[in-house]
Amino acid sequence: MREALIARVEGHGRIEVKVKKGKLQSIKLDILTPPRLFEKLIVGRHFSEVPTIVSRICSICSASHRVVSVMALEDALGIKVPEEVELMRRLLLHGGVLESHALHLFLLALPDYYRKASFVELSKDAPELVTLGFRLKGLGNRIQETVGGRAIHQITPVVGGMSAFPPAGELESIAGEAEVLMERTYLTLKDVPSLELTPLAQVENWVSLSGREYEYTGGDILINGRERLRVEDFSRRFHESSLPPSYVKHTLLDNEKTFMVGALARVLNNRSKLKGRAGSFCRELGLTRQKSTFMNNLAQAVELLFCLERVSWIVEKLLKNREWSEEGIVVDFTPRAGRGVAAIEAPRGLLLHRYSLDDRGYVLDGDIVTPTALNLSEMERTLRDMAGHLLREGVRELTPSLEMLVRAFDPCISCSVHLLEV
Amino acid sequence: MREKKKTKVGFYSLTSCSGDILEITNMEEDLLKLFEIVDVVDLNVAMASTGVRPEIAFVEGAITQPEEARFLRKLRKEVKYLVAMGSCACTGGVIARGPKQRRAWLRDVYPESWEEFRSGFPRPLRDVIQVDLEIPGCPIERRYFLHCIAYLLKGVLPEVPNYPVCMECKMKGNECLLRYRGMPCLGPITRAGCGARQPSRGRPCDGCFGPYADANLDSLVEIFRGLGLSEREIKNRLDLFWERRR
């Protein structure tokens, strides 16, 4: 039996491989981050406190959790927010994706591509690569700080609007930095060597949101580029099962199929909507033809370019035709009983929040479905396929390749600990 | 000249969102400088463990598992300084709620396997071991972390600000949310250090740094009652981040 704590992922996870006489007996991905029971913590709390609590599910996805919880609560309360509020939240989410992808791709995954143990080692041989990674990550954090009030556990998105707007000069400076980084990021990423890994784990099913544009909010759920499902109908096709003693529940599509969510699923479902540099880079890479799990890293590279282009676009749109004020916008509403749901694309994939409220606005129950939990069964399936293959090829040291595979999913393990049966 | 031996520093994560260690990586390129100044022996998000014992340990997260408590007791014996980072490590944090309901919640969420879990009510580090320094916040402020590590490397324990968030609002010239907008702000009793992040952005302070030493809780509760808050609203307001006992 071999076990290894997976390094260079967010949170604590372990792969447990049982091998007997050179044959694979079993393989399991253990999520070791203990349960924190978030869906229970919010019961009996006022809706206004919910975003503050649930953003603490995960530090790296805190902007996603905060924004989607606000959207689900607004759905329950029948609130529509003005366009500039929506744009400001979208800008925040793009900041979150930039920070998360830059951290994962440059600092956690790329050391594998250069056969280095960590970004510290990588910085000795390829300092420009690590510097660029930190600069992209820094821009993502700057957006989250400027728009959200803090890089982690943001402050401004509230039910009904945004509690404050950033100074216009700060937004212009963010757009400027995004433009500066565009060309440099493209030139750097196109020269990243490819991983030599056989066999490449294949994506069989993939799931993401899909709307009119390439976006992290809005639209329906799209399965394998073909089948559409409304967000409120999610639990008709996706079911959870609990496999003890893991703290995470497994989710299957139609009770049998594992599937992938995240940057690659988004690119596979929405590639025709990718314009500009991101679109041409996506075609150059050919990642939609190969459908390899490892291509998730490169799908993140495409999305880094997408976010840089989009950030400038959103800032321009926000600042146009508007007398700028740093005062927030929160629309008037009265609490009422209701149920609400919202889904967004977090950096690691589909994230869904559902709440029901009593007539004074206190939470009756909540349900949170996170991308890492959705990916768990697919991670185990591809691990099994890959371990079996490596053993047949007579490879003795499985750990590095298996770790690399898990890392390609960019699991965010603190996210994956609080699923509730519905 | 011979190079001075670098201090060995480890970063460890218990039950948490990993936000305090992430906040440290948010110093971006300066993180490489940290690696130059100290010998980082553990930082799981960035590298595999070196297996070397640290001299200074920074620990984020609350204790919910027996193995976490065991790990901490062992770590305590090995290190010169043990630092609790973030509100989960300092008070149990936002997750330390419902001490009586916890088993029932576990049973609800994991009906098939809850009995195998040895997951307990989230406890701060000082419940189990002696802690040398607490860096408050949800998450911590990276500037303050740097301030602390600079002191510790010189063998000195840093001072923690002992005045309320109100002072920071005054320095920034913020309009008082409590007085002029009737918002239930915890600023008057909460330890400063964040630069009044929430009140500066139109939201009352939630108290994630915990109370400062001379905090007058009763007086603030009276003000909240005067604003028309119900006892339930006041209780919810106060127990978001503040320490609760089983």
Side-chain angles (χ1 to χ4, degrees), chain A residues 17 19 22-25 27 196-202 294 381-398 401-402 405:
Chain A
V17 189
V19 181
K23 283 231 171 80
L24 184 67
Q25 295 261 299
I27 192 157
E196 286 173 39
L197 283 166
T198 48
L200 297 171
Q202 291 294 305
F294 288 100
R381 178 188 74 83
T382 49
L383 277 172
R384 200 179 312 116
D385 290 357
M386 186 148 169
H389 177 89
L390 291 172
L391 286 167
R392 284 192 297 279
E393 300 277 299
V395 178
R396 310 282 311 164
E397 192 48 69
L398 297 176
S401 307
L402 297 183
L405 178 61

PDB file of all heavy atoms in Angstrom, chain A residues 17 19 22-25 27 196-202 294 381-398 401-402 405:
ATOM      1  N   VAL A  17      -3.165   4.165  -2.893  1.00  0.00           N
ATOM      2  CA  VAL A  17      -3.114   3.167  -3.968  1.00  0.00           C
ATOM      3  C   VAL A  17      -2.783   1.818  -3.353  1.00  0.00           C
ATOM      4  O   VAL A  17      -1.808   1.698  -2.615  1.00  0.00           O
ATOM      5  CB  VAL A  17      -2.014   3.516  -4.996  1.00  0.00           C
ATOM      6  CG1 VAL A  17      -2.117   2.612  -6.207  1.00  0.00           C
ATOM      7  CG2 VAL A  17      -2.092   4.967  -5.401  1.00  0.00           C
ATOM      8  N   VAL A  19      -1.630  -1.897  -4.287  1.00  0.00           N
ATOM      9  CA  VAL A  19      -1.090  -2.702  -5.381  1.00  0.00           C
ATOM     10  C   VAL A  19      -0.701  -4.061  -4.808  1.00  0.00           C
ATOM     11  O   VAL A  19      -0.083  -4.145  -3.745  1.00  0.00           O
ATOM     12  CB  VAL A  19       0.161  -2.023  -5.993  1.00  0.00           C
ATOM     13  CG1 VAL A  19       0.703  -2.855  -7.141  1.00  0.00           C
ATOM     14  CG2 VAL A  19      -0.169  -0.621  -6.466  1.00  0.00           C
ATOM     15  N   GLY A  22       2.030  -6.373  -8.381  1.00  0.00           N
ATOM     16  CA  GLY A  22       2.085  -5.571  -9.600  1.00  0.00           C
ATOM     17  C   GLY A  22       0.734  -5.237 -10.196  1.00  0.00           C
ATOM     18  O   GLY A  22       0.651  -4.646 -11.268  1.00  0.00           O
ATOM     19  N   LYS A  23      -0.353  -5.639  -9.518  1.00  0.00           N
ATOM     20  CA  LYS A  23      -1.685  -5.329 -10.059  1.00  0.00           C
ATOM     21  C   LYS A  23      -2.403  -4.314  -9.159  1.00  0.00           C
ATOM     22  O   LYS A  23      -2.290  -4.380  -7.939  1.00  0.00           O
ATOM     23  CB  LYS A  23      -2.519  -6.615 -10.129  1.00  0.00           C
ATOM     24  CG  LYS A  23      -2.150  -7.509 -11.302  1.00  0.00           C
ATOM     25  CD  LYS A  23      -3.425  -7.892 -12.075  1.00  0.00           C
ATOM     26  CE  LYS A  23      -3.120  -8.588 -13.370  1.00  0.00           C
ATOM     27  NZ  LYS A  23      -2.808 -10.025 -13.170  1.00  0.00           N
ATOM     28  N   LEU A  24      -3.142  -3.440  -9.790  1.00  0.00           N
ATOM     29  CA  LEU A  24      -3.874  -2.424  -9.047  1.00  0.00           C
ATOM     30  C   LEU A  24      -5.083  -3.046  -8.350  1.00  0.00           C
ATOM     31  O   LEU A  24      -5.929  -3.666  -8.978  1.00  0.00           O
ATOM     32  CB  LEU A  24      -4.344  -1.318 -10.001  1.00  0.00           C
ATOM     33  CG  LEU A  24      -5.054  -0.138  -9.354  1.00  0.00           C
ATOM     34  CD1 LEU A  24      -4.102   0.660  -8.491  1.00  0.00           C
ATOM     35  CD2 LEU A  24      -5.674   0.756 -10.414  1.00  0.00           C
ATOM     36  N   GLN A  25      -5.114  -2.921  -7.021  1.00  0.00           N
ATOM     37  CA  GLN A  25      -6.251  -3.448  -6.261  1.00  0.00           C
ATOM     38  C   GLN A  25      -7.327  -2.373  -6.095  1.00  0.00           C
ATOM     39  O   GLN A  25      -8.484  -2.602  -6.366  1.00  0.00           O
ATOM     40  CB  GLN A  25      -5.776  -3.910  -4.887  1.00  0.00           C
ATOM     41  CG  GLN A  25      -4.835  -5.078  -4.948  1.00  0.00           C
ATOM     42  CD  GLN A  25      -5.560  -6.368  -4.682  1.00  0.00           C
ATOM     43  OE1 GLN A  25      -6.122  -6.551  -3.624  1.00  0.00           O
ATOM     44  NE2 GLN A  25      -5.572  -7.250  -5.652  1.00  0.00           N
ATOM     45  N   ILE A  27      -7.866   2.232  -5.706  1.00  0.00           N
ATOM     46  CA  ILE A  27      -7.265   3.561  -5.651  1.00  0.00           C
ATOM     47  C   ILE A  27      -8.310   4.515  -5.096  1.00  0.00           C
ATOM     48  O   ILE A  27      -9.492   4.410  -5.424  1.00  0.00           O
ATOM     49  CB  ILE A  27      -6.758   4.004  -7.033  1.00  0.00           C
ATOM     50  CG1 ILE A  27      -5.871   5.237  -6.914  1.00  0.00           C
ATOM     51  CG2 ILE A  27      -7.886   4.270  -7.996  1.00  0.00           C
ATOM     52  CD1 ILE A  27      -4.925   5.377  -8.083  1.00  0.00           C
ATOM     53  N   GLU A 196       5.167  15.166 -21.057  1.00  0.00           N
ATOM     54  CA  GLU A 196       5.231  13.863 -21.710  1.00  0.00           C
ATOM     55  C   GLU A 196       4.595  12.852 -20.794  1.00  0.00           C
ATOM     56  O   GLU A 196       5.193  12.369 -19.848  1.00  0.00           O
ATOM     57  CB  GLU A 196       6.682  13.494 -21.981  1.00  0.00           C
ATOM     58  CG  GLU A 196       7.263  14.284 -23.121  1.00  0.00           C
ATOM     59  CD  GLU A 196       8.741  14.013 -23.262  1.00  0.00           C
ATOM     60  OE1 GLU A 196       9.143  12.853 -23.088  1.00  0.00           O
ATOM     61  OE2 GLU A 196       9.472  14.975 -23.511  1.00  0.00           O
ATOM     62  N   LEU A 197       3.375  12.526 -21.069  1.00  0.00           N
ATOM     63  CA  LEU A 197       2.648  11.620 -20.188  1.00  0.00           C
ATOM     64  C   LEU A 197       1.810  10.680 -21.030  1.00  0.00           C
ATOM     65  O   LEU A 197       1.034  11.121 -21.873  1.00  0.00           O
ATOM     66  CB  LEU A 197       1.710  12.406 -19.288  1.00  0.00           C
ATOM     67  CG  LEU A 197       2.348  13.122 -18.115  1.00  0.00           C
ATOM     68  CD1 LEU A 197       1.391  14.108 -17.527  1.00  0.00           C
ATOM     69  CD2 LEU A 197       2.790  12.120 -17.057  1.00  0.00           C
ATOM     70  N   THR A 198       1.977   9.416 -20.838  1.00  0.00           N
ATOM     71  CA  THR A 198       1.142   8.466 -21.561  1.00  0.00           C
ATOM     72  C   THR A 198       0.545   7.493 -20.572  1.00  0.00           C
ATOM     73  O   THR A 198       1.238   7.058 -19.666  1.00  0.00           O
ATOM     74  CB  THR A 198       1.961   7.692 -22.599  1.00  0.00           C
ATOM     75  OG1 THR A 198       3.130   7.238 -21.948  1.00  0.00           O
ATOM     76  CG2 THR A 198       2.284   8.545 -23.796  1.00  0.00           C
ATOM     77  N   PRO A 199      -0.675   7.076 -20.717  1.00  0.00           N
ATOM     78  CA  PRO A 199      -1.589   7.662 -21.685  1.00  0.00           C
ATOM     79  C   PRO A 199      -2.165   8.937 -21.102  1.00  0.00           C
ATOM     80  O   PRO A 199      -2.239   9.080 -19.890  1.00  0.00           O
ATOM     81  CB  PRO A 199      -2.677   6.603 -21.789  1.00  0.00           C
ATOM     82  CG  PRO A 199      -2.742   6.057 -20.396  1.00  0.00           C
ATOM     83  CD  PRO A 199      -1.355   6.105 -19.846  1.00  0.00           C
ATOM     84  N   LEU A 200      -2.563   9.803 -21.934  1.00  0.00           N
ATOM     85  CA  LEU A 200      -3.210  10.999 -21.438  1.00  0.00           C
ATOM     86  C   LEU A 200      -4.620  10.616 -21.006  1.00  0.00           C
ATOM     87  O   LEU A 200      -5.354  10.006 -21.754  1.00  0.00           O
ATOM     88  CB  LEU A 200      -3.258  12.039 -22.544  1.00  0.00           C
ATOM     89  CG  LEU A 200      -1.890  12.510 -23.026  1.00  0.00           C
ATOM     90  CD1 LEU A 200      -2.030  13.372 -24.253  1.00  0.00           C
ATOM     91  CD2 LEU A 200      -1.152  13.261 -21.936  1.00  0.00           C
ATOM     92  N   ALA A 201      -4.959  10.977 -19.793  1.00  0.00           N
ATOM     93  CA  ALA A 201      -6.306  10.672 -19.310  1.00  0.00           C
ATOM     94  C   ALA A 201      -7.306  11.434 -20.186  1.00  0.00           C
ATOM     95  O   ALA A 201      -7.084  12.589 -20.499  1.00  0.00           O
ATOM     96  CB  ALA A 201      -6.434  11.095 -17.865  1.00  0.00           C
ATOM     97  N   GLN A 202      -8.343  10.764 -20.584  1.00  0.00           N
ATOM     98  CA  GLN A 202      -9.309  11.369 -21.501  1.00  0.00           C
ATOM     99  C   GLN A 202     -10.570  11.848 -20.786  1.00  0.00           C
ATOM    100  O   GLN A 202     -11.100  11.158 -19.933  1.00  0.00           O
ATOM    101  CB  GLN A 202      -9.727  10.343 -22.570  1.00  0.00           C
ATOM    102  CG  GLN A 202      -8.633  10.001 -23.548  1.00  0.00           C
ATOM    103  CD  GLN A 202      -8.254  11.182 -24.422  1.00  0.00           C
ATOM    104  OE1 GLN A 202      -9.100  11.773 -25.072  1.00  0.00           O
ATOM    105  NE2 GLN A 202      -6.978  11.523 -24.431  1.00  0.00           N
ATOM    106  N   PHE A 294      -5.111  16.588 -18.776  1.00  0.00           N
ATOM    107  CA  PHE A 294      -3.974  17.475 -18.524  1.00  0.00           C
ATOM    108  C   PHE A 294      -4.117  18.812 -19.229  1.00  0.00           C
ATOM    109  O   PHE A 294      -3.458  19.775 -18.884  1.00  0.00           O
ATOM    110  CB  PHE A 294      -2.668  16.798 -18.950  1.00  0.00           C
ATOM    111  CG  PHE A 294      -2.274  15.696 -18.015  1.00  0.00           C
ATOM    112  CD1 PHE A 294      -2.527  14.372 -18.330  1.00  0.00           C
ATOM    113  CD2 PHE A 294      -1.679  15.990 -16.798  1.00  0.00           C
ATOM    114  CE1 PHE A 294      -2.189  13.368 -17.447  1.00  0.00           C
ATOM    115  CE2 PHE A 294      -1.338  14.986 -15.919  1.00  0.00           C
ATOM    116  CZ  PHE A 294      -1.596  13.664 -16.239  1.00  0.00           C
ATOM    117  N   ARG A 381     -11.680   8.181 -11.275  1.00  0.00           N
ATOM    118  CA  ARG A 381     -11.737   7.356 -12.493  1.00  0.00           C
ATOM    119  C   ARG A 381     -10.435   7.496 -13.291  1.00  0.00           C
ATOM    120  O   ARG A 381      -9.819   6.501 -13.676  1.00  0.00           O
ATOM    121  CB  ARG A 381     -12.912   7.779 -13.381  1.00  0.00           C
ATOM    122  CG  ARG A 381     -12.996   6.987 -14.683  1.00  0.00           C
ATOM    123  CD  ARG A 381     -14.036   7.548 -15.644  1.00  0.00           C
ATOM    124  NE  ARG A 381     -13.636   8.788 -16.285  1.00  0.00           N
ATOM    125  CZ  ARG A 381     -12.857   8.866 -17.375  1.00  0.00           C
ATOM    126  NH1 ARG A 381     -12.381   7.766 -17.930  1.00  0.00           N
ATOM    127  NH2 ARG A 381     -12.544  10.033 -17.885  1.00  0.00           N
ATOM    128  N   THR A 382      -9.998   8.747 -13.520  1.00  0.00           N
ATOM    129  CA  THR A 382      -8.790   8.927 -14.325  1.00  0.00           C
ATOM    130  C   THR A 382      -7.552   8.418 -13.582  1.00  0.00           C
ATOM    131  O   THR A 382      -6.635   7.881 -14.198  1.00  0.00           O
ATOM    132  CB  THR A 382      -8.601  10.412 -14.712  1.00  0.00           C
ATOM    133  OG1 THR A 382      -8.742  11.217 -13.554  1.00  0.00           O
ATOM    134  CG2 THR A 382      -9.631  10.851 -15.734  1.00  0.00           C
ATOM    135  N   LEU A 383      -7.549   8.550 -12.249  1.00  0.00           N
ATOM    136  CA  LEU A 383      -6.425   8.009 -11.467  1.00  0.00           C
ATOM    137  C   LEU A 383      -6.334   6.498 -11.641  1.00  0.00           C
ATOM    138  O   LEU A 383      -5.251   5.940 -11.813  1.00  0.00           O
ATOM    139  CB  LEU A 383      -6.613   8.322  -9.976  1.00  0.00           C
ATOM    140  CG  LEU A 383      -6.174   9.696  -9.471  1.00  0.00           C
ATOM    141  CD1 LEU A 383      -6.614   9.875  -8.026  1.00  0.00           C
ATOM    142  CD2 LEU A 383      -4.658   9.858  -9.579  1.00  0.00           C
ATOM    143  N   ARG A 384      -7.501   5.836 -11.595  1.00  0.00           N
ATOM    144  CA  ARG A 384      -7.541   4.379 -11.727  1.00  0.00           C
ATOM    145  C   ARG A 384      -7.011   3.969 -13.102  1.00  0.00           C
ATOM    146  O   ARG A 384      -6.159   3.089 -13.229  1.00  0.00           O
ATOM    147  CB  ARG A 384      -8.985   3.886 -11.537  1.00  0.00           C
ATOM    148  CG  ARG A 384      -9.112   2.421 -11.186  1.00  0.00           C
ATOM    149  CD  ARG A 384     -10.572   2.020 -10.988  1.00  0.00           C
ATOM    150  NE  ARG A 384     -11.293   2.935 -10.120  1.00  0.00           N
ATOM    151  CZ  ARG A 384     -12.330   3.690 -10.497  1.00  0.00           C
ATOM    152  NH1 ARG A 384     -12.802   3.626 -11.736  1.00  0.00           N
ATOM    153  NH2 ARG A 384     -12.921   4.496  -9.641  1.00  0.00           N
ATOM    154  N   ASP A 385      -7.516   4.642 -14.157  1.00  0.00           N
ATOM    155  CA  ASP A 385      -7.073   4.320 -15.518  1.00  0.00           C
ATOM    156  C   ASP A 385      -5.570   4.499 -15.650  1.00  0.00           C
ATOM    157  O   ASP A 385      -4.867   3.664 -16.205  1.00  0.00           O
ATOM    158  CB  ASP A 385      -7.755   5.249 -16.538  1.00  0.00           C
ATOM    159  CG  ASP A 385      -9.238   4.943 -16.681  1.00  0.00           C
ATOM    160  OD1 ASP A 385      -9.693   3.976 -16.028  1.00  0.00           O
ATOM    161  OD2 ASP A 385      -9.927   5.673 -17.421  1.00  0.00           O
ATOM    162  N   MET A 386      -5.085   5.613 -15.109  1.00  0.00           N
ATOM    163  CA  MET A 386      -3.678   5.933 -15.296  1.00  0.00           C
ATOM    164  C   MET A 386      -2.778   5.001 -14.485  1.00  0.00           C
ATOM    165  O   MET A 386      -1.762   4.526 -14.989  1.00  0.00           O
ATOM    166  CB  MET A 386      -3.436   7.378 -14.878  1.00  0.00           C
ATOM    167  CG  MET A 386      -2.040   7.803 -15.182  1.00  0.00           C
ATOM    168  SD  MET A 386      -2.047   9.549 -15.559  1.00  0.00           S
ATOM    169  CE  MET A 386      -0.316   9.823 -15.550  1.00  0.00           C
ATOM    170  N   ALA A 387      -3.186   4.709 -13.244  1.00  0.00           N
ATOM    171  CA  ALA A 387      -2.386   3.816 -12.402  1.00  0.00           C
ATOM    172  C   ALA A 387      -2.326   2.429 -13.031  1.00  0.00           C
ATOM    173  O   ALA A 387      -1.264   1.789 -13.090  1.00  0.00           O
ATOM    174  CB  ALA A 387      -2.977   3.750 -11.003  1.00  0.00           C
ATOM    175  N   GLY A 388      -3.472   1.951 -13.531  1.00  0.00           N
ATOM    176  CA  GLY A 388      -3.526   0.634 -14.179  1.00  0.00           C
ATOM    177  C   GLY A 388      -2.569   0.588 -15.352  1.00  0.00           C
ATOM    178  O   GLY A 388      -1.775  -0.353 -15.509  1.00  0.00           O
ATOM    179  N   HIS A 389      -2.600   1.623 -16.148  1.00  0.00           N
ATOM    180  CA  HIS A 389      -1.736   1.668 -17.328  1.00  0.00           C
ATOM    181  C   HIS A 389      -0.260   1.693 -16.941  1.00  0.00           C
ATOM    182  O   HIS A 389       0.547   0.939 -17.488  1.00  0.00           O
ATOM    183  CB  HIS A 389      -2.083   2.901 -18.172  1.00  0.00           C
ATOM    184  CG  HIS A 389      -1.186   3.057 -19.357  1.00  0.00           C
ATOM    185  ND1 HIS A 389      -1.477   2.473 -20.573  1.00  0.00           N
ATOM    186  CD2 HIS A 389      -0.002   3.703 -19.502  1.00  0.00           C
ATOM    187  CE1 HIS A 389      -0.496   2.763 -21.419  1.00  0.00           C
ATOM    188  NE2 HIS A 389       0.403   3.516 -20.789  1.00  0.00           N
ATOM    189  N   LEU A 390       0.084   2.539 -15.978  1.00  0.00           N
ATOM    190  CA  LEU A 390       1.490   2.654 -15.572  1.00  0.00           C
ATOM    191  C   LEU A 390       2.002   1.324 -15.025  1.00  0.00           C
ATOM    192  O   LEU A 390       3.131   0.923 -15.293  1.00  0.00           O
ATOM    193  CB  LEU A 390       1.656   3.767 -14.526  1.00  0.00           C
ATOM    194  CG  LEU A 390       1.450   5.199 -15.018  1.00  0.00           C
ATOM    195  CD1 LEU A 390       1.451   6.173 -13.846  1.00  0.00           C
ATOM    196  CD2 LEU A 390       2.527   5.600 -16.028  1.00  0.00           C
ATOM    197  N   LEU A 391       1.142   0.618 -14.261  1.00  0.00           N
ATOM    198  CA  LEU A 391       1.557  -0.669 -13.698  1.00  0.00           C
ATOM    199  C   LEU A 391       1.775  -1.693 -14.811  1.00  0.00           C
ATOM    200  O   LEU A 391       2.733  -2.465 -14.781  1.00  0.00           O
ATOM    201  CB  LEU A 391       0.516  -1.179 -12.697  1.00  0.00           C
ATOM    202  CG  LEU A 391       0.488  -0.457 -11.354  1.00  0.00           C
ATOM    203  CD1 LEU A 391      -0.769  -0.805 -10.577  1.00  0.00           C
ATOM    204  CD2 LEU A 391       1.733  -0.794 -10.523  1.00  0.00           C
ATOM    205  N   ARG A 392       0.901  -1.678 -15.801  1.00  0.00           N
ATOM    206  CA  ARG A 392       1.069  -2.596 -16.934  1.00  0.00           C
ATOM    207  C   ARG A 392       2.366  -2.313 -17.697  1.00  0.00           C
ATOM    208  O   ARG A 392       3.003  -3.207 -18.225  1.00  0.00           O
ATOM    209  CB  ARG A 392      -0.130  -2.506 -17.886  1.00  0.00           C
ATOM    210  CG  ARG A 392      -1.383  -3.229 -17.364  1.00  0.00           C
ATOM    211  CD  ARG A 392      -2.442  -3.387 -18.430  1.00  0.00           C
ATOM    212  NE  ARG A 392      -2.969  -2.133 -18.922  1.00  0.00           N
ATOM    213  CZ  ARG A 392      -3.918  -1.421 -18.288  1.00  0.00           C
ATOM    214  NH1 ARG A 392      -4.453  -1.878 -17.166  1.00  0.00           N
ATOM    215  NH2 ARG A 392      -4.347  -0.282 -18.773  1.00  0.00           N
ATOM    216  N   GLU A 393       2.750  -1.032 -17.724  1.00  0.00           N
ATOM    217  CA  GLU A 393       3.997  -0.649 -18.396  1.00  0.00           C
ATOM    218  C   GLU A 393       5.219  -0.933 -17.521  1.00  0.00           C
ATOM    219  O   GLU A 393       6.340  -0.670 -17.926  1.00  0.00           O
ATOM    220  CB  GLU A 393       3.988   0.854 -18.711  1.00  0.00           C
ATOM    221  CG  GLU A 393       2.864   1.293 -19.618  1.00  0.00           C
ATOM    222  CD  GLU A 393       3.187   1.077 -21.093  1.00  0.00           C
ATOM    223  OE1 GLU A 393       4.163   1.680 -21.563  1.00  0.00           O
ATOM    224  OE2 GLU A 393       2.484   0.288 -21.740  1.00  0.00           O
ATOM    225  N   GLY A 394       4.974  -1.419 -16.312  1.00  0.00           N
ATOM    226  CA  GLY A 394       6.081  -1.746 -15.409  1.00  0.00           C
ATOM    227  C   GLY A 394       6.682  -0.564 -14.679  1.00  0.00           C
ATOM    228  O   GLY A 394       7.802  -0.625 -14.187  1.00  0.00           O
ATOM    229  N   VAL A 395       5.942   0.548 -14.609  1.00  0.00           N
ATOM    230  CA  VAL A 395       6.452   1.717 -13.888  1.00  0.00           C
ATOM    231  C   VAL A 395       6.343   1.455 -12.385  1.00  0.00           C
ATOM    232  O   VAL A 395       5.296   1.059 -11.890  1.00  0.00           O
ATOM    233  CB  VAL A 395       5.647   2.982 -14.267  1.00  0.00           C
ATOM    234  CG1 VAL A 395       6.141   4.192 -13.479  1.00  0.00           C
ATOM    235  CG2 VAL A 395       5.746   3.250 -15.762  1.00  0.00           C
ATOM    236  N   ARG A 396       7.432   1.656 -11.646  1.00  0.00           N
ATOM    237  CA  ARG A 396       7.425   1.361 -10.209  1.00  0.00           C
ATOM    238  C   ARG A 396       6.946   2.569  -9.401  1.00  0.00           C
ATOM    239  O   ARG A 396       6.224   2.428  -8.433  1.00  0.00           O
ATOM    240  CB  ARG A 396       8.830   0.968  -9.719  1.00  0.00           C
ATOM    241  CG  ARG A 396       9.512  -0.087 -10.543  1.00  0.00           C
ATOM    242  CD  ARG A 396       9.001  -1.484 -10.239  1.00  0.00           C
ATOM    243  NE  ARG A 396       8.954  -1.788  -8.810  1.00  0.00           N
ATOM    244  CZ  ARG A 396       8.260  -2.800  -8.307  1.00  0.00           C
ATOM    245  NH1 ARG A 396       7.543  -3.572  -9.107  1.00  0.00           N
ATOM    246  NH2 ARG A 396       8.279  -3.039  -7.021  1.00  0.00           N
ATOM    247  N   GLU A 397       7.411   3.710  -9.782  1.00  0.00           N
ATOM    248  CA  GLU A 397       7.120   4.908  -8.978  1.00  0.00           C
ATOM    249  C   GLU A 397       5.898   5.639  -9.535  1.00  0.00           C
ATOM    250  O   GLU A 397       6.000   6.398 -10.487  1.00  0.00           O
ATOM    251  CB  GLU A 397       8.359   5.821  -8.985  1.00  0.00           C
ATOM    252  CG  GLU A 397       8.322   6.946  -7.971  1.00  0.00           C
ATOM    253  CD  GLU A 397       7.926   6.519  -6.577  1.00  0.00           C
ATOM    254  OE1 GLU A 397       8.712   5.796  -5.912  1.00  0.00           O
ATOM    255  OE2 GLU A 397       6.817   6.897  -6.155  1.00  0.00           O
ATOM    256  N   LEU A 398       4.747   5.341  -8.950  1.00  0.00           N
ATOM    257  CA  LEU A 398       3.497   5.887  -9.480  1.00  0.00           C
ATOM    258  C   LEU A 398       3.233   7.323  -9.018  1.00  0.00           C
ATOM    259  O   LEU A 398       2.607   8.103  -9.720  1.00  0.00           O
ATOM    260  CB  LEU A 398       2.314   5.039  -9.000  1.00  0.00           C
ATOM    261  CG  LEU A 398       2.265   3.577  -9.439  1.00  0.00           C
ATOM    262  CD1 LEU A 398       1.074   2.894  -8.785  1.00  0.00           C
ATOM    263  CD2 LEU A 398       2.152   3.487 -10.946  1.00  0.00           C
ATOM    264  N   SER A 401       3.419  10.831 -11.170  1.00  0.00           N
ATOM    265  CA  SER A 401       2.462  10.962 -12.273  1.00  0.00           C
ATOM    266  C   SER A 401       1.045  11.124 -11.752  1.00  0.00           C
ATOM    267  O   SER A 401       0.266  11.914 -12.276  1.00  0.00           O
ATOM    268  CB  SER A 401       2.510   9.734 -13.173  1.00  0.00           C
ATOM    269  OG  SER A 401       3.814   9.494 -13.581  1.00  0.00           O
ATOM    270  N   LEU A 402       0.711  10.363 -10.715  1.00  0.00           N
ATOM    271  CA  LEU A 402      -0.644  10.454 -10.176  1.00  0.00           C
ATOM    272  C   LEU A 402      -0.877  11.820  -9.525  1.00  0.00           C
ATOM    273  O   LEU A 402      -1.944  12.412  -9.666  1.00  0.00           O
ATOM    274  CB  LEU A 402      -0.904   9.332  -9.163  1.00  0.00           C
ATOM    275  CG  LEU A 402      -0.840   7.908  -9.730  1.00  0.00           C
ATOM    276  CD1 LEU A 402      -1.196   6.899  -8.647  1.00  0.00           C
ATOM    277  CD2 LEU A 402      -1.762   7.727 -10.925  1.00  0.00           C
ATOM    278  N   LEU A 405      -1.530  14.291 -12.150  1.00  0.00           N
ATOM    279  CA  LEU A 405      -2.892  14.171 -12.681  1.00  0.00           C
ATOM    280  C   LEU A 405      -3.892  14.881 -11.766  1.00  0.00           C
ATOM    281  O   LEU A 405      -4.725  15.665 -12.229  1.00  0.00           O
ATOM    282  CB  LEU A 405      -3.267  12.686 -12.837  1.00  0.00           C
ATOM    283  CG  LEU A 405      -4.679  12.413 -13.340  1.00  0.00           C
ATOM    284  CD1 LEU A 405      -4.885  13.003 -14.729  1.00  0.00           C
ATOM    285  CD2 LEU A 405      -4.951  10.907 -13.393  1.00  0.00           C
TER     286      LEU A 405
END
